[in-house]
Amino acid sequence: DQQVKQNSPSLSVQEGRISILNCDYTNSMFDYFLWYKKYPAEGPTFLISISSIKDKNEDGRFTVFLNKSAKHLSLHIVPSQPGDSAVYFCAAGAGSARQLTFGSGTQLTVLP
Amino acid sequence: KAGVTQTPRYLIKTRGQQVTLSCSPISGHRSVSWYQQTPGQGLQFLFEYFSETQRNKGNFPGRFSGRQFSNSRSEMNVSTLELGDSALYLCASSAGQGDSPLHFGNGTRLTVT
């Protein structure tokens, strides 16, 4: 039973445009959500997080939106850059950010 | 600040053997977690240690074990290796309180033949 789902295995976006990566979850106990970026042969790199008491969090070009009623979160990257090309994972935690359940990842390709 | 360091980067072992992986967390981080990444199952939580005590455990068999030392460094051990244990093993550290995020190392790639 996949509790965190990323239904799009891949996404291609033109440089300078917006990238929107989506994530759905089923466990109502999740109250903390994170996005990680992963390059080949490296570990995941933390990007941005959001607590369930918020519906939006921004950090530079990255914004995460949380819709609790729909159990859906999204990561917006504006403007997208070729260096953003990587696999993006969403993750969820219940009560802490330490025991995380990860989605299967979305490969983002930003075309120059 | 140095990041999370995992050694070795690559390992090749034979079925039935055992293996020990090492992780040095970010300085000041007291929580160390381990995750397994495989193409079929994705990233899955193994266990978490805080101040030398296992605080959380994922759904893995007892062949997978770990420990944490007083300097917060951690080791993970897998005994009686199976072909399905071939994976990327990732260690992550955090301050260990509240919503402090995990910071991952680059992993150890284990191949079991």
Side-chain angles (χ1 to χ4, degrees):
Chain A
D1 173 32
Q2 268 189 299
Q3 297 188 61
V4 178
K5 294 182 185 179
Q6 293 178 257
N7 291 318
S8 298
S10 63
L11 173 68
S12 290
V13 170
Q14 209 68 37
E15 181 180 3
R17 305 293 292 268
I18 184 172
S19 294
I20 300 176
L21 297 107
N22 294 302
C23 181
D24 297 296
Y25 62 95
T26 57
N27 190 339
S28 300
M29 298 298 292
F30 289 144
D31 58 5
Y32 191 63
F33 305 89
L34 308 91
W35 284 93
Y36 284 85
K37 176 172 73 172
K38 188 178 186 302
Y39 295 117
E42 294 184 12
T45 300
F46 170 70
L47 277 175
I48 192 168
S49 61
I50 188 167
S51 165
S52 60
I53 62 173
K54 294 185 175 180
D55 53 20
K56 179 182 172 181
N57 189 27
E58 283 182 84
D59 185 0
R61 297 186 298 116
F62 302 94
T63 303
V64 56
F65 294 92
L66 176 63
N67 183 333
K68 290 186 289 294
S69 60
K71 292 191 176 67
H72 177 84
L73 64 153
S74 61
L75 175 68
H76 293 210
I77 306 174
V78 183
S80 301
Q81 300 172 354
D84 295 331
S85 297
V87 178
Y88 287 76
F89 292 94
C90 69
S96 80
R98 297 181 305 276
Q99 182 172 348
L100 297 177
T101 300
F102 280 84
S104 54
T106 296
Q107 171 70 58
L108 173 66
T109 302
V110 180
L111 305 167
Chain B
K1 224 179 197 182
V4 177
T5 304
Q6 291 188 248
T7 56
R9 284 299 306 272
Y10 302 93
L11 262 180
I12 300 176
K13 290 286 187 178
T14 305
R15 201 169 39 178
Q17 287 186 313
Q18 73 153 13
V19 68
T20 299
L21 312 181
S22 182
C23 173
S24 293
I26 292 171
S27 177
H29 284 188
R30 296 169 63 192
S31 168
V32 173
S33 302
W34 289 88
Y35 286 78
Q36 181 197 64
Q37 185 180 23
T38 59
Q41 299 296 321
L43 272 153
Q44 292 192 291
F45 173 76
L46 280 155
F47 30 65
E48 184 227 355
Y49 287 86
F50 183 84
S51 293
E52 302 178 65
T53 301
Q54 187 180 88
R55 194 158 59 170
N56 293 292
K57 189 177 191 308
N59 189 25
F60 278 81
R63 299 186 297 107
F64 292 82
S65 63
R67 59 178 176 166
Q68 187 180 31
F69 302 95
S70 58
N71 62 359
S72 293
R73 192 177 69 84
S74 177
E75 287 182 347
M76 191 193 106
N77 185 276
V78 189
S79 63
T80 320
L81 283 166
E82 299 177 359
L83 296 178
D85 296 333
S86 295
L88 179 67
Y89 290 89
L90 290 159
C91 169
S93 74
S94 78
Q97 283 109 17
D99 295 338
S100 48
L102 298 181
H103 297 274
F104 285 86
N106 287 332
T108 294
R109 171 73 63 185
L110 173 64
T111 302
V112 182
T113 63

